[in-house]
Amino acid sequence: MVGLGFLMGALSFHAYATARVADPERAHVGAGRAEEVADGTAALVFHGGPHPRWTPRLLDALAAEDVRATFFLVGAHVNEHPELVRRMVRDGHEVGVSSFREGEHDGLGTAFARTALAAAAGVHSGLSEPDPDTPDLHRYDPQHVVAEVLPDADRVIRLHVSSATPAVVGLLVDALPDRRFTTLTGATGRPAALDDASPAEEVTGYALSWSQHHGDVLALVLGLVCAVVAVLAMLRTVLQLGLAHTARRLHREIAVTPHAPPVSVVVPAYNESANIAAAVRSIAASEHPAEVEVVVVDDGSTDGTAEVVRELGLANVRVVSQPNGGKFAALNTGIALARHDALVLVDGDTVFERDTVSKVVRPLGDTGVGAVSGNVKVANRGGLLGRWQHLEYTAGSNLDRQILNALECIPTIPGAIGAFRREALDEVGGISADTLAEDTDVTMAITRAGWRVVYEPAARAWTEVPTGASGLYKQRYRWSYGTFQSMWKHRTALRERGRMGRFGLLYLLLFHVVLPALAPALDVYVLYGAFVADAPWALVVWGVFLVVQTAGAGYALRLDGESLAPLWVFPLQQVAYRQLTYVVVIKSLVTALNGTPLAWQTARRSGLAKVAAR
């Protein structure tokens, strides 16, 4: 978020610094301004600049006459020619500011101009005066300029940096041989104006100067990034709308003989006492023709999870307790203890419908299918955060799964519900401890081993999602980080002929890494265009984009048999909720690149899954 703020600030400052002030009016402060100077002195004050052509000539003229003067500079020009400001200070001249842009008179412009001085020459100036009307702005003959100035030579002599000014210096010195030409503070008795700039002023000045110089390049790069984001977003929408129906058609066309094998359901649990009873009861009560055994592996819980399950007294449920070793260890323990070859792995906060087990194992009747993903539904979808996550699951994760099912390269069977053939798990070495996304890791491994992984939308499982922003952030951070780990672990699939390398990893890279990492640039560009760069069409384009996305979300809801009622929160989700996604993806990328490990975390549960799933 800091980076986005800097980006927006840099673009805004560039627009401010390079824009012209409409109808600049100089303050009517002429050479005869009533500011007396000490006897025998003459104060020379120059406004404007530094100018790349005339300022060096003026400085040469002052040096030739051994004269010191005061310069009131324009901040934008200081950033453009800092070497001239450094020469002024080095030659003993006094510097102040008039504004940041020519013709501008406001406090913010003065503050910006002071930071420009700090960056250019490392000085802070207390001098600040508006840009006056002077004789050399109207006459270009040095003789005429001097003639107008001399009658008021006992006051401050004010001129602008122009083509006539360098020649005026020598003429003034010759015309006033009894005067000592000096700075404004030296001639009027004002307090000394120059001091060393603070580090904060210098850093701010450097940042604003960089923005002024490179803002146009930044805007161009940002425009290109936004084009990439727009293309990727539209491509994803086209894929979702184009392939989702294809996936459903393929699902209907799969010739699967009725398959109802005995099933072992493995439930790894760590501090899941709030939901574990409802989860186990729902699984144990499954309407399945063959045996359904439930193996609950308590992985060192400290909240009495194991005792809650034992107190249920269910005949087809076994509870095994072990020291905390992580989710992968709990899963491997349960798989080893399971009696059957059709295995269903489910999280401890998930509630099944009565036919979920039968439907999720049915595709295993095809001998080429090694694993099956079920359809994860949000149980506690009340409230704004719950509705947002419901839309994320339905219009995001599940719709993605439809696309990848059509491409035969599903990269993740969710931990909430998945069926596995034991033979497939044994072939890939079981559940690995290499990543935090053990579900993604094992799914990729099974696909690379030549097994098909399919999606069964009718096998529904209800899970409790985080109810607070903190819990949601932690969960999404772990998921995102684990996905990146899995992608890196299976990167060699890109060199293989299988679909995981050709489609699965590429899909994840484009739409789960590149798109969310770059998408914040689009928001910045819209805000910049609409409110800074005077391009209100940016909001129109963003509105059209939002309408298309909303329509896609509605299609996904209908495809999944859901009500369209939650769609009213979708626009707000795109504005607010997805910012969390951006932060999670970017932070996960940084963490993954640094190789920082994360522990298995569990969100605080409230037991809402059992209520919503009834």
Side-chain angles (χ1 to χ4, degrees):
M1 299 306 288
V2 174
L4 293 180
F6 176 78
L7 180 62
M8 187 64 184
L11 289 170
S12 300
F13 185 79
H14 173 75
Y16 163 79
T18 56
R20 285 191 163 285
V21 178
D23 261 334
E25 295 182 3
R26 289 188 169 84
H28 294 289
V29 182
R33 176 181 169 183
E35 187 166 10
E36 303 286 340
V37 298
D39 293 339
T41 62
L44 265 181
V45 176
F46 298 99
H47 290 264
H51 189 282
R53 184 174 182 183
W54 307 122
T55 298
R57 296 185 183 186
L58 176 58
L59 291 173
D60 289 342
L62 292 170
E65 300 293 343
D66 196 24
V67 170
R68 304 292 178 269
T70 297
F71 290 84
F72 284 99
L73 305 171
V74 177
H77 298 330
V78 169
N79 283 335
E80 292 167 357
H81 308 289
E83 73 285 351
L84 295 178
V85 182
R86 289 192 288 269
R87 179 180 171 185
M88 291 174 189
V89 175
R90 190 167 58 246
D91 289 353
H93 300 295
E94 191 171 57
V95 292
V97 295
S98 58
S99 62
F100 189 82
R101 302 180 296 183
E102 290 193 49
E104 173 190 64
H105 309 294
D106 63 57
L108 183 61
T110 300
F112 284 155
R114 285 198 171 104
T115 64
L117 278 184
V123 297
H124 171 85
S125 176
L127 288 178
S128 173
E129 287 189 4
D131 206 8
D133 190 22
T134 62
D136 57 336
L137 288 176
H138 308 284
R139 297 184 179 276
Y140 301 99
D141 179 2
Q143 296 284 354
H144 283 88
V145 173
V146 172
E148 286 197 31
V149 167
L150 283 179
D152 294 305
D154 59 337
R155 304 184 182 197
V156 175
I157 300 174
R158 297 177 183 276
L159 298 168
H160 268 78
V161 178
S162 67
S163 59
T165 310
V168 169
V169 173
L171 294 175
L172 281 174
V173 171
D174 291 342
L176 300 170
D178 58 334
R179 300 291 180 92
R180 179 177 66 87
F181 288 85
T182 186
T183 62
L184 181 63
T185 58
T188 62
R190 290 189 186 187
L194 287 183
D195 200 356
D196 291 337
S198 68
E201 268 188 312
E202 290 193 54
V203 170
T204 303
Y206 286 131
L208 296 182
S209 177
W210 186 92
S211 301
Q212 180 179 330
H213 285 100
H214 301 94
D216 52 347
V217 176
L218 198 61
L220 176 62
V221 172
L222 185 62
L224 293 175
V225 169
C226 289
V228 171
V229 170
V231 169
L232 288 177
M234 293 306 296
L235 178 60
R236 187 183 190 190
T237 301
V238 169
L239 285 173
Q240 287 176 333
L241 300 182
L243 292 179
H245 261 305
T246 302
R248 289 296 177 106
R249 179 177 57 80
L250 291 174
H251 174 261
R252 289 193 299 268
E253 291 176 356
I254 292 177
V256 179
T257 56
H259 187 62
V263 178
S264 294
V265 181
V266 177
V267 186
Y270 174 68
N271 288 346
E272 294 284 2
S273 61
N275 280 319
I276 194 66
V280 171
R281 280 198 193 99
S282 70
I283 300 167
S286 295
E287 294 177 349
H288 184 65
E291 181 188 9
V292 176
E293 73 157 346
V294 183
V295 181
V296 178
V297 182
D298 175 39
D299 192 56
S301 297
T302 58
D303 66 346
T305 295
E307 288 70 21
V308 170
V309 179
R310 290 190 181 101
E311 288 173 1
L312 296 176
L314 299 173
N316 59 339
V317 176
R318 283 187 289 161
V319 182
V320 179
S321 295
Q322 66 179 29
N324 183 259
K327 188 175 182 181
F328 80 95
L331 284 169
N332 284 329
T333 297
I335 292 168
L337 293 173
R339 296 196 304 268
H340 305 305
D341 291 333
L343 301 166
V344 174
L345 309 185
V346 54
D347 288 338
D349 62 343
T350 303
V351 175
F352 278 12
E353 296 180 354
R354 288 189 176 274
D355 61 353
T356 298
V357 170
S358 287
K359 288 181 176 177
V360 79
V361 299
R362 186 175 56 191
L364 294 178
D366 184 329
T367 56
V369 173
V372 184
S373 169
N375 186 350
V376 183
K377 312 294 287 183
V378 173
N380 52 324
R381 58 181 67 176
L384 194 59
L385 197 59
R387 288 188 177 93
W388 282 346
Q389 291 178 82
H390 166 48
L391 287 172
E392 180 187 21
Y393 274 61
T394 305
S397 302
N398 288 339
L399 196 53
D400 275 347
R401 213 162 276 127
Q402 298 269 20
I403 296 170
L404 295 164
N405 188 36
L407 296 173
E408 298 183 16
C409 58
I410 294 177
T412 305
I413 290 180
I417 176 172
F420 295 84
R421 190 184 300 276
R422 185 186 292 274
E423 182 184 351
L425 282 176
D426 289 344
E427 186 172 342
V428 299
I431 309 299
S432 171
D434 293 341
T435 75
L436 284 180
E438 69 290 324
D439 45 7
T440 299
D441 185 8
V442 73
T443 308
M444 288 183 176
I446 289 173
T447 303
R448 292 181 65 193
W451 295 93
R452 284 188 60 197
V453 176
V454 299
Y455 175 48
E456 175 51 73
R460 303 198 301 179
W462 297 81
T463 188
E464 179 183 340
V465 295
T467 56
S470 176
L472 178 63
Y473 173 80
K474 290 178 181 178
Q475 183 191 67
R476 297 302 194 272
Y477 179 34
R478 179 174 60 82
W479 287 359
S480 180
Y481 180 80
T483 299
F484 295 156
Q485 286 180 311
S486 300
M487 291 173 65
W488 181 252
K489 176 180 176 180
H490 294 279
R491 65 190 182 279
T492 54
L494 294 170
R495 300 196 298 267
E496 300 169 354
R497 300 176 64 88
R499 287 180 173 265
M500 183 53 64
R502 284 187 294 164
F503 299 115
L505 286 179
L506 184 61
Y507 188 92
L508 288 177
L509 178 64
L510 289 179
F511 302 120
H512 289 258
V513 179
V514 175
L515 181 57
L518 297 183
L522 182 62
D523 295 338
V524 171
Y525 198 71
V526 169
L527 293 174
Y528 169 69
F531 301 108
V532 178
D534 194 24
W537 54 265
L539 284 178
V540 176
V541 172
W542 188 83
V544 172
F545 189 69
L546 182 59
V547 168
V548 172
Q549 288 184 306
T550 304
Y555 173 75
L557 289 170
R558 276 299 186 208
L559 202 62
D560 217 28
E562 293 282 357
S563 166
L564 297 181
L567 270 184
W568 71 270
V569 301
F570 186 80
L572 186 59
Q573 182 204 44
Q574 296 302 293
V575 174
Y577 180 78
R578 71 175 183 179
Q579 309 303 321
L580 174 69
T581 306
Y582 300 157
V583 173
V584 164
V585 169
I586 293 170
K587 184 175 179 181
S588 298
L589 277 172
V590 173
T591 305
L593 291 173
N594 288 334
T596 307
L598 294 178
W600 179 22
Q601 302 165 346
T602 182
R604 181 175 296 175
R605 304 301 184 189
S606 60
L608 294 175
K610 60 184 177 183
V611 176
R614 287 175 181 170

mmCIF file with all atom_site columns, all heavy atoms in Angstrom, residues 215-229:
data_model
loop_
_atom_site.group_PDB
_atom_site.id
_atom_site.type_symbol
_atom_site.label_atom_id
_atom_site.label_alt_id
_atom_site.label_comp_id
_atom_site.label_asym_id
_atom_site.label_entity_id
_atom_site.label_seq_id
_atom_site.pdbx_PDB_ins_code
_atom_site.Cartn_x
_atom_site.Cartn_y
_atom_site.Cartn_z
_atom_site.occupancy
_atom_site.B_iso_or_equiv
_atom_site.pdbx_formal_charge
_atom_site.auth_seq_id
_atom_site.auth_comp_id
_atom_site.auth_asym_id
_atom_site.auth_atom_id
_atom_site.pdbx_PDB_model_num
ATOM 1  N N   . GLY A 1 215 ? 7.880  11.386 -14.025 1.00 0.00 ? 215 GLY A N   1
ATOM 2  C CA  . GLY A 1 215 ? 6.452  11.122 -13.971 1.00 0.00 ? 215 GLY A CA  1
ATOM 3  C C   . GLY A 1 215 ? 5.860  10.734 -15.309 1.00 0.00 ? 215 GLY A C   1
ATOM 4  O O   . GLY A 1 215 ? 4.968  9.885  -15.380 1.00 0.00 ? 215 GLY A O   1
ATOM 5  N N   . ASP A 1 216 ? 6.358  11.343 -16.401 1.00 0.00 ? 216 ASP A N   1
ATOM 6  C CA  . ASP A 1 216 ? 5.815  10.997 -17.712 1.00 0.00 ? 216 ASP A CA  1
ATOM 7  C C   . ASP A 1 216 ? 6.146  9.556  -18.082 1.00 0.00 ? 216 ASP A C   1
ATOM 8  O O   . ASP A 1 216 ? 5.306  8.827  -18.631 1.00 0.00 ? 216 ASP A O   1
ATOM 9  C CB  . ASP A 1 216 ? 6.332  11.960 -18.781 1.00 0.00 ? 216 ASP A CB  1
ATOM 10 C CG  . ASP A 1 216 ? 7.845  12.080 -18.777 1.00 0.00 ? 216 ASP A CG  1
ATOM 11 O OD1 . ASP A 1 216 ? 8.493  11.614 -17.809 1.00 0.00 ? 216 ASP A OD1 1
ATOM 12 O OD2 . ASP A 1 216 ? 8.393  12.650 -19.739 1.00 0.00 ? 216 ASP A OD2 1
ATOM 13 N N   . VAL A 1 217 ? 7.389  9.131  -17.748 1.00 0.00 ? 217 VAL A N   1
ATOM 14 C CA  . VAL A 1 217 ? 7.767  7.742  -17.997 1.00 0.00 ? 217 VAL A CA  1
ATOM 15 C C   . VAL A 1 217 ? 6.948  6.810  -17.114 1.00 0.00 ? 217 VAL A C   1
ATOM 16 O O   . VAL A 1 217 ? 6.484  5.744  -17.554 1.00 0.00 ? 217 VAL A O   1
ATOM 17 C CB  . VAL A 1 217 ? 9.275  7.529  -17.741 1.00 0.00 ? 217 VAL A CB  1
ATOM 18 C CG1 . VAL A 1 217 ? 9.653  6.066  -17.913 1.00 0.00 ? 217 VAL A CG1 1
ATOM 19 C CG2 . VAL A 1 217 ? 10.098 8.407  -18.670 1.00 0.00 ? 217 VAL A CG2 1
ATOM 20 N N   . LEU A 1 218 ? 6.748  7.237  -15.862 1.00 0.00 ? 218 LEU A N   1
ATOM 21 C CA  . LEU A 1 218 ? 5.955  6.437  -14.926 1.00 0.00 ? 218 LEU A CA  1
ATOM 22 C C   . LEU A 1 218 ? 4.531  6.276  -15.439 1.00 0.00 ? 218 LEU A C   1
ATOM 23 O O   . LEU A 1 218 ? 3.949  5.190  -15.372 1.00 0.00 ? 218 LEU A O   1
ATOM 24 C CB  . LEU A 1 218 ? 5.959  7.115  -13.554 1.00 0.00 ? 218 LEU A CB  1
ATOM 25 C CG  . LEU A 1 218 ? 5.558  6.273  -12.343 1.00 0.00 ? 218 LEU A CG  1
ATOM 26 C CD1 . LEU A 1 218 ? 6.504  5.102  -12.169 1.00 0.00 ? 218 LEU A CD1 1
ATOM 27 C CD2 . LEU A 1 218 ? 5.545  7.140  -11.089 1.00 0.00 ? 218 LEU A CD2 1
ATOM 28 N N   . ALA A 1 219 ? 3.962  7.366  -15.961 1.00 0.00 ? 219 ALA A N   1
ATOM 29 C CA  . ALA A 1 219 ? 2.602  7.299  -16.497 1.00 0.00 ? 219 ALA A CA  1
ATOM 30 C C   . ALA A 1 219 ? 2.528  6.358  -17.702 1.00 0.00 ? 219 ALA A C   1
ATOM 31 O O   . ALA A 1 219 ? 1.564  5.608  -17.860 1.00 0.00 ? 219 ALA A O   1
ATOM 32 C CB  . ALA A 1 219 ? 2.133  8.695  -16.896 1.00 0.00 ? 219 ALA A CB  1
ATOM 33 N N   . LEU A 1 220 ? 3.574  6.401  -18.538 1.00 0.00 ? 220 LEU A N   1
ATOM 34 C CA  . LEU A 1 220 ? 3.603  5.506  -19.705 1.00 0.00 ? 220 LEU A CA  1
ATOM 35 C C   . LEU A 1 220 ? 3.681  4.047  -19.276 1.00 0.00 ? 220 LEU A C   1
ATOM 36 O O   . LEU A 1 220 ? 2.931  3.196  -19.784 1.00 0.00 ? 220 LEU A O   1
ATOM 37 C CB  . LEU A 1 220 ? 4.798  5.856  -20.593 1.00 0.00 ? 220 LEU A CB  1
ATOM 38 C CG  . LEU A 1 220 ? 5.028  4.945  -21.812 1.00 0.00 ? 220 LEU A CG  1
ATOM 39 C CD1 . LEU A 1 220 ? 3.822  5.012  -22.748 1.00 0.00 ? 220 LEU A CD1 1
ATOM 40 C CD2 . LEU A 1 220 ? 6.304  5.342  -22.542 1.00 0.00 ? 220 LEU A CD2 1
ATOM 41 N N   . VAL A 1 221 ? 4.582  3.762  -18.323 1.00 0.00 ? 221 VAL A N   1
ATOM 42 C CA  . VAL A 1 221 ? 4.721  2.387  -17.828 1.00 0.00 ? 221 VAL A CA  1
ATOM 43 C C   . VAL A 1 221 ? 3.425  1.937  -17.165 1.00 0.00 ? 221 VAL A C   1
ATOM 44 O O   . VAL A 1 221 ? 2.959  0.804  -17.365 1.00 0.00 ? 221 VAL A O   1
ATOM 45 C CB  . VAL A 1 221 ? 5.901  2.288  -16.837 1.00 0.00 ? 221 VAL A CB  1
ATOM 46 C CG1 . VAL A 1 221 ? 5.929  0.919  -16.162 1.00 0.00 ? 221 VAL A CG1 1
ATOM 47 C CG2 . VAL A 1 221 ? 7.222  2.546  -17.556 1.00 0.00 ? 221 VAL A CG2 1
ATOM 48 N N   . LEU A 1 222 ? 2.825  2.840  -16.392 1.00 0.00 ? 222 LEU A N   1
ATOM 49 C CA  . LEU A 1 222 ? 1.570  2.502  -15.718 1.00 0.00 ? 222 LEU A CA  1
ATOM 50 C C   . LEU A 1 222 ? 0.478  2.200  -16.741 1.00 0.00 ? 222 LEU A C   1
ATOM 51 O O   . LEU A 1 222 ? -0.314 1.265  -16.571 1.00 0.00 ? 222 LEU A O   1
ATOM 52 C CB  . LEU A 1 222 ? 1.134  3.648  -14.815 1.00 0.00 ? 222 LEU A CB  1
ATOM 53 C CG  . LEU A 1 222 ? -0.092 3.409  -13.939 1.00 0.00 ? 222 LEU A CG  1
ATOM 54 C CD1 . LEU A 1 222 ? 0.161  2.265  -12.967 1.00 0.00 ? 222 LEU A CD1 1
ATOM 55 C CD2 . LEU A 1 222 ? -0.463 4.673  -13.180 1.00 0.00 ? 222 LEU A CD2 1
ATOM 56 N N   . GLY A 1 223 ? 0.442  2.972  -17.823 1.00 0.00 ? 223 GLY A N   1
ATOM 57 C CA  . GLY A 1 223 ? -0.530 2.712  -18.877 1.00 0.00 ? 223 GLY A CA  1
ATOM 58 C C   . GLY A 1 223 ? -0.339 1.346  -19.512 1.00 0.00 ? 223 GLY A C   1
ATOM 59 O O   . GLY A 1 223 ? -1.313 0.624  -19.767 1.00 0.00 ? 223 GLY A O   1
ATOM 60 N N   . LEU A 1 224 ? 0.924  0.971  -19.738 1.00 0.00 ? 224 LEU A N   1
ATOM 61 C CA  . LEU A 1 224 ? 1.204  -0.339 -20.313 1.00 0.00 ? 224 LEU A CA  1
ATOM 62 C C   . LEU A 1 224 ? 0.815  -1.455 -19.345 1.00 0.00 ? 224 LEU A C   1
ATOM 63 O O   . LEU A 1 224 ? 0.251  -2.482 -19.747 1.00 0.00 ? 224 LEU A O   1
ATOM 64 C CB  . LEU A 1 224 ? 2.690  -0.444 -20.671 1.00 0.00 ? 224 LEU A CB  1
ATOM 65 C CG  . LEU A 1 224 ? 3.168  0.475  -21.797 1.00 0.00 ? 224 LEU A CG  1
ATOM 66 C CD1 . LEU A 1 224 ? 4.687  0.370  -21.963 1.00 0.00 ? 224 LEU A CD1 1
ATOM 67 C CD2 . LEU A 1 224 ? 2.471  0.136  -23.113 1.00 0.00 ? 224 LEU A CD2 1
ATOM 68 N N   . VAL A 1 225 ? 1.121  -1.253 -18.054 1.00 0.00 ? 225 VAL A N   1
ATOM 69 C CA  . VAL A 1 225 ? 0.751  -2.245 -17.041 1.00 0.00 ? 225 VAL A CA  1
ATOM 70 C C   . VAL A 1 225 ? -0.771 -2.407 -16.990 1.00 0.00 ? 225 VAL A C   1
ATOM 71 O O   . VAL A 1 225 ? -1.295 -3.519 -16.917 1.00 0.00 ? 225 VAL A O   1
ATOM 72 C CB  . VAL A 1 225 ? 1.294  -1.833 -15.658 1.00 0.00 ? 225 VAL A CB  1
ATOM 73 C CG1 . VAL A 1 225 ? 0.692  -2.710 -14.555 1.00 0.00 ? 225 VAL A CG1 1
ATOM 74 C CG2 . VAL A 1 225 ? 2.813  -1.957 -15.633 1.00 0.00 ? 225 VAL A CG2 1
ATOM 75 N N   . CYS A 1 226 ? -1.474 -1.275 -17.053 1.00 0.00 ? 226 CYS A N   1
ATOM 76 C CA  . CYS A 1 226 ? -2.938 -1.339 -17.021 1.00 0.00 ? 226 CYS A CA  1
ATOM 77 C C   . CYS A 1 226 ? -3.484 -2.070 -18.240 1.00 0.00 ? 226 CYS A C   1
ATOM 78 O O   . CYS A 1 226 ? -4.495 -2.783 -18.146 1.00 0.00 ? 226 CYS A O   1
ATOM 79 C CB  . CYS A 1 226 ? -3.519 0.077  -16.954 1.00 0.00 ? 226 CYS A CB  1
ATOM 80 S SG  . CYS A 1 226 ? -3.251 0.866  -15.352 1.00 0.00 ? 226 CYS A SG  1
ATOM 81 N N   . ALA A 1 227 ? -2.836 -1.881 -19.379 1.00 0.00 ? 227 ALA A N   1
ATOM 82 C CA  . ALA A 1 227 ? -3.261 -2.599 -20.582 1.00 0.00 ? 227 ALA A CA  1
ATOM 83 C C   . ALA A 1 227 ? -3.106 -4.110 -20.388 1.00 0.00 ? 227 ALA A C   1
ATOM 84 O O   . ALA A 1 227 ? -3.988 -4.893 -20.758 1.00 0.00 ? 227 ALA A O   1
ATOM 85 C CB  . ALA A 1 227 ? -2.455 -2.127 -21.784 1.00 0.00 ? 227 ALA A CB  1
ATOM 86 N N   . VAL A 1 228 ? -1.986 -4.507 -19.777 1.00 0.00 ? 228 VAL A N   1
ATOM 87 C CA  . VAL A 1 228 ? -1.754 -5.927 -19.497 1.00 0.00 ? 228 VAL A CA  1
ATOM 88 C C   . VAL A 1 228 ? -2.823 -6.451 -18.536 1.00 0.00 ? 228 VAL A C   1
ATOM 89 O O   . VAL A 1 228 ? -3.390 -7.538 -18.740 1.00 0.00 ? 228 VAL A O   1
ATOM 90 C CB  . VAL A 1 228 ? -0.342 -6.138 -18.904 1.00 0.00 ? 228 VAL A CB  1
ATOM 91 C CG1 . VAL A 1 228 ? -0.175 -7.573 -18.413 1.00 0.00 ? 228 VAL A CG1 1
ATOM 92 C CG2 . VAL A 1 228 ? 0.727  -5.805 -19.931 1.00 0.00 ? 228 VAL A CG2 1
ATOM 93 N N   . VAL A 1 229 ? -3.108 -5.667 -17.476 1.00 0.00 ? 229 VAL A N   1
ATOM 94 C CA  . VAL A 1 229 ? -4.125 -6.078 -16.497 1.00 0.00 ? 229 VAL A CA  1
ATOM 95 C C   . VAL A 1 229 ? -5.482 -6.231 -17.172 1.00 0.00 ? 229 VAL A C   1
ATOM 96 O O   . VAL A 1 229 ? -6.206 -7.218 -16.944 1.00 0.00 ? 229 VAL A O   1
ATOM 97 C CB  . VAL A 1 229 ? -4.213 -5.041 -15.352 1.00 0.00 ? 229 VAL A CB  1
ATOM 98 C CG1 . VAL A 1 229 ? -5.419 -5.316 -14.463 1.00 0.00 ? 229 VAL A CG1 1
ATOM 99 C CG2 . VAL A 1 229 ? -2.935 -5.073 -14.518 1.00 0.00 ? 229 VAL A CG2 1
#
